[in-house]
Amino acid sequence: HALVFQGIDGLTLRGVEVDWDRETPEPRWESALVLRDVSNLVVQEFHGQAGRIEDQLPAILKQNVTNRH
């Protein structure tokens, strides 16, 4: 994973971009963002995808996440 956030209350991500090397991908690359146990999340202007497209991994993996209303 490129970025992992865990156990956070009140996370805002703006203008985040994850750009993997498509010519020489690493076999262990997975999701661009991993969010676990995050509450009050705001994501704005995220650009990215999973490290290996052929594996159909999510760009953003969310586990126990609530968005700010």
Side-chain angles (χ1 to χ4, degrees):
H1 306 300
L3 299 168
V4 177
F5 297 92
Q6 184 168 338
I8 299 173
D9 181 15
L11 176 64
T12 300
L13 300 171
R14 287 190 184 103
V16 174
E17 183 174 342
V18 176
D19 187 19
W20 306 89
D21 180 355
R22 292 288 164 210
E23 292 185 26
T24 55
E26 295 288 331
R28 293 179 14 179
W29 287 350
E30 294 187 17
S31 296
L33 296 179
V34 175
L35 305 163
R36 292 185 184 115
D37 302 316
V38 175
S39 58
N40 297 309
L41 171 69
V42 175
V43 177
Q44 297 174 338
E45 299 176 31
F46 169 76
H47 301 279
Q49 56 192 19
R52 293 184 330 273
I53 300 170
E54 65 277 2
D55 291 342
Q56 297 182 350
L57 299 167
I60 302 175
L61 176 62
K62 294 181 181 180
Q63 298 172 331
N64 194 29
V65 172
T66 59
N67 295 331
R68 187 175 297 159
H69 298 285

